[in-house]
Each structure stands twice: as C-alpha cells, then as structure tokens.
Amino acid sequence: MTAAAEKHTEFKLDSATKWTDPISSVCFEPGSASRNLIVSSWDCSLRVFDVHTNQQRQSFKATCPLLDCCYVDTYTAYSAGSDGHVRCVDVSSGQERVFPAGHDAPVRCILSEETTRTVVSGSWDCSIKLWDVRSRHCVRKYDSHVNRSHRCGFAWSPCGRFLAAGSEDRCSYLYDVTACTYVHKYPRFSDVVSCAAFHPLHPEVAFATNDGNLSLYSDRCRPNHHTPASKTTRGGGARTPLGPGDVPRRGGGANDSSSPHASLVGDVRYEPEQMRTAVSDLL
C-alpha cells in the first residue's frame, strides 16, 4: 500500500482532551448512515465522535471507570460502570440517568437490542441482567454461569429468544430470555469460555476460550460432509457429528448434557416478530 493510500484510509480521531487511562470499548451507532462512534474509557469518560468530520461531539464524565458501551438507537447510548450500575446517556441533550438497581460487582459487558429497546448487562457478580430501559428496572436475571474475574462474553441470538454466555467453569450456557435458568449447557471446554457469537441467519453459535480454542455448534452440514457437525480449531480436533434432533429441553428444566457435542437448539428461527413477542412479554 502506498503512503498516499494509507493517508486516506487511516486517521486518528481528534479528541479534545487526551485519555488518561485505557479505552475499554468502542461502538458505532446503528443504521446504514452511521457516522457517530462512542468510546468508553477507564478514565470515567464516555465520548461521542463524528467520524465523518473527525470531531468530538460530546463528552460525559461518570463517577467511576466505564468498562463497556453500546448504542440502542441514534440518540441513546449505554455504558457499563465499575460501580455495578448501568448508565443511560441521551447523546443529543447530554442527560445521564443511572439505573437505580445494579449489580453487586463491576459491570463488564453490555449489549442492546434495537428492535425491542432492551439492554443486557453482564457482571463479575456471576449474573447477566435484562433491563427494561423505560422503567430502568431489571426484568430477568440469569446466574447459572460463573464469572468473577475474567471477561466472559455473551451474545444475544438474532431471534431474541436466547442468550449464549461464556463461563469460568469451562462451560458455556444457553439461556432462554423468558426463563431464569439455562436451557442448555455446553461442557468440557479446554479453558475459560471468553467469547460467544450467533450466526445472523443460521442456527449456529461459536465459542472461544482463553487458551486459543474455537468451537462451532451447528445444525448444518460441513462442506463435503453429509452429517451436521461441531468443530474445534487449534488442537481440539473435530468433534463428534451432531444430530439435527439434538435439541435442548425447554420449560421443565435445564438440559445438562454430559457430552460436549450437543447441538444448538434446532427450533431457532431468526424472525423479528418472535423477538418482539418473546421480550415484550417480560416488560
């Protein structure tokens, strides 16, 4: 790449004041015309940048380090505080609201869902909480996983019915958002499960561990194979093929599979209407 090309593809955002501590998270506002970027930091600041004009639009100062941030819509951003509270910021007016009930430990991760306007926060108190942003009250709490010191990420399925969470007990958990317990447990990972991600179109979920292993659970066939399978990279070897009927039980209790090869729920359908119905019933 030439020097001229590099000049046009990379530039530093012009911050009014320098950060005094590490940046914890960055997030673009939703939408195809997105131009604003929010930045949270351990120096207690949440900043909004216009990436088209390279200007800092807003800066908010919290009373504690901010460990994560996210957008719900163009005008509303959320941050995760080390004091255990979730904060809502109106980007246009600069007004900040702190959710009165929080976690018992720092909030490490936060996610939002634009369609239902709900927020999910994960904390080092071993819990994930689902919040109604209108009332600023917790409507569900999920605490079967273990998370006291590592960053154990979680993901919201596109259908809105499930949360996949990593855990320090070398397992991952699949929660139904309408229940307070998990519906499936994926055991026997090689280390702390640090990341989770759902495929946006297909019933597939990926998990990553701190020792560099990556596992994919799917009900689709792998290329050049005729049986659905889950696989692990970097030393893990191929996992046992999955059956399309290997689905977790729902309603009566959790499915504690003794095998690490159980598939993702087979009845996941990524349709916005299901998301609205599942979550709106809680609010």
Side-chain angles (χ1 to χ4, degrees), residues 2-215:
T2 65
E6 290 181 354
K7 182 178 180 181
H8 288 287
T9 57
E10 180 181 356
F11 60 91
K12 291 185 178 181
L13 292 175
D14 186 15
S15 175
T17 57
K18 298 296 183 181
W19 285 276
T20 57
D21 283 301
I23 292 172
S24 58
S25 183
V26 295
C27 180
F28 275 103
E29 69 175 312
S32 57
S34 173
R35 61 186 295 168
N36 291 326
L37 180 74
I38 56 172
V39 182
S40 61
S41 171
W42 283 79
D43 68 2
C44 309
S45 69
L46 183 71
R47 309 186 192 193
V48 183
F49 291 89
D50 186 326
V51 297
H52 290 187
T53 62
N54 192 14
Q55 291 181 336
Q56 180 176 306
R57 291 185 51 199
Q58 296 271 14
S59 180
F60 310 95
K61 199 70 172 180
T63 57
C64 65
L66 302 178
L67 309 185
D68 200 6
C69 62
C70 69
Y71 267 106
V72 168
D73 54 42
T74 303
Y75 306 103
T76 312
Y78 289 83
S79 62
S82 64
D83 61 354
H85 288 280
V86 173
R87 288 166 166 77
C88 171
V89 173
D90 187 315
V91 176
S92 57
S93 68
Q95 181 182 7
E96 181 189 65
R97 296 179 299 166
V98 179
F99 285 20
H103 290 269
D104 297 327
V107 184
R108 189 61 188 90
C109 303
I110 191 165
L111 290 177
S112 66
E113 206 302 298
E114 184 181 5
T115 305
T116 56
R117 295 181 60 82
T118 49
V119 171
V120 181
S121 60
S123 168
W124 282 322
D125 65 359
C126 301
S127 75
I128 296 173
K129 291 186 176 183
L130 175 66
W131 302 90
D132 179 358
V133 299
R134 296 167 297 183
S135 66
R136 291 180 288 165
H137 287 107
C138 174
V139 293
R140 281 291 186 276
K141 180 180 178 180
Y142 316 98
D143 56 5
S144 297
H145 62 290
V146 180
N147 187 197
R148 297 188 180 93
S149 58
H150 295 270
R151 178 168 184 174
C152 295
F154 56 90
W156 206 338
S157 69
C159 69
R161 290 175 54 194
F162 303 102
L163 282 169
S167 180
E168 293 174 7
D169 62 357
R170 300 188 178 187
C171 299
S172 58
Y173 295 78
L174 189 70
Y175 293 103
D176 186 325
V177 296
T178 62
C180 291
T181 60
Y182 63 90
V183 294
H184 200 73
K185 179 179 179 180
Y186 302 88
R188 298 182 185 175
F189 286 87
S190 55
D191 202 345
V192 172
V193 182
S194 56
C195 303
F198 282 96
H199 193 285
L201 298 176
H202 305 291
E204 297 179 343
V205 64
F207 297 105
T209 59
N210 278 354
D211 63 350
N213 282 296
L214 177 65
S215 297

